[in-house]
Amino acid sequence: QKSLLLKGYQSNERMIDLVNDMLNVALIESGRLRYRLAPHALEAVVNDAMLDFFGLVQQKKITLTLTVPPGGIPNVVIDPERMNTVLHNLLDNSVHYTPVHGKITVALKRQGNAVTVSVQDTGIGIPKRQQKNIFHRFFRGDNAVRIAADGSGLGLYVVKHIVEAHRGQVTFTSAKGKGTTFRVTLPLGRSR
């Protein structure tokens, strides 16, 4: 019964994520995605996003850790709801494409006048020849499709647009079979 309930719950969550991504894409493309920017503790937003994956991380026996520099990091001018969407999409990919007993490390760092959030996993990685397409709408890597046929290919497209609306940048490094690290860099001070 517990297994069936968990599968039903996960299926429901995937459907909610798909609908949210489709709504965000529609708002992005119509220029109507609005932001409520104010200084926020990015660590709190990261913690909220990580909590969403507690059950799945436990089920897959994945080690999920957060590292923050001593003394923390300064508040960043963000829309916390939109930034939660960014982190949720990055974590969702990491959790789904990291095998059982894998490892995901989320790290916050201050670098000059910016803060970087990185999500590093020991997952399947992105094939080198396909990396140039990773932020395109509906794109999914061949190896990702083989593992989970039900993805939409919209998550990273949404991530890129939200981060750029914050005057930030999203980059990644990846090696097939070894894992992927996404980095979201956000400026300190006014974001718009």
Side-chain angles (χ1 to χ4, degrees):
Q1 286 178 338
K2 184 178 178 182
S3 177
L4 285 173
L5 282 173
L6 186 58
K7 285 185 184 203
Y9 172 78
Q10 289 170 349
S11 178
N12 187 51
E13 289 299 304
R14 297 290 282 177
M15 187 61 67
I16 290 169
D17 288 345
L18 174 62
V19 169
N20 285 335
D21 281 343
M22 291 174 71
L23 287 170
N24 283 329
V25 167
L27 291 170
I28 286 167
E29 292 183 348
S30 68
R32 293 185 303 134
L33 190 62
R34 300 289 175 239
Y35 296 87
R36 293 186 179 115
L37 298 171
H40 283 278
L42 192 54
E43 184 178 350
V45 178
V46 170
N47 275 317
D48 285 348
M50 289 174 67
L51 279 173
D52 291 342
F53 295 94
F54 182 75
L56 191 53
V57 164
Q58 275 195 319
Q59 181 189 6
K60 291 183 75 174
K61 297 176 176 45
I62 292 172
T63 303
L64 176 60
T65 57
L66 172 62
T67 62
V68 181
I73 58 167
N75 286 353
V76 183
V77 178
I78 56 171
D79 179 322
E81 183 180 332
R82 301 295 181 211
M83 200 50 59
N84 183 283
T85 297
V86 166
L87 295 164
H88 184 91
N89 278 324
L90 295 178
L91 285 164
D92 186 58
N93 286 342
S94 285
V95 171
H96 280 92
Y97 300 121
T98 295
V100 173
H101 298 293
K103 183 176 179 182
I104 300 170
T105 304
V106 181
L108 290 169
K109 292 181 186 170
R110 180 173 180 171
Q111 298 176 309
N113 288 327
V115 171
T116 299
V117 182
S118 63
V119 179
Q120 179 179 17
D121 64 49
T122 57
I124 61 173
I126 303 162
K128 186 133 183 95
R129 72 184 191 289
Q130 296 181 332
Q131 291 182 8
K132 66 184 179 295
N133 299 318
I134 203 69
F135 294 110
H136 292 180
R137 193 169 48 142
F138 300 119
F139 177 80
R140 296 184 67 220
D142 293 339
N143 56 347
V145 172
R146 281 192 295 275
I147 287 177
D150 61 346
S152 68
L154 295 173
L156 291 174
Y157 175 82
V158 169
V159 164
K160 183 176 191 298
H161 283 275
I162 291 174
V163 171
E164 288 177 352
H166 283 79
R167 295 202 180 173
Q169 182 180 25
V170 58
T171 59
F172 72 95
T173 53
S174 186
K176 187 176 176 184
K178 295 185 178 177
T180 302
T181 302
F182 277 92
R183 289 173 198 84
V184 172
T185 304
L186 300 167
L188 290 170
R190 295 299 307 160
S191 289
R192 269 192 157 184

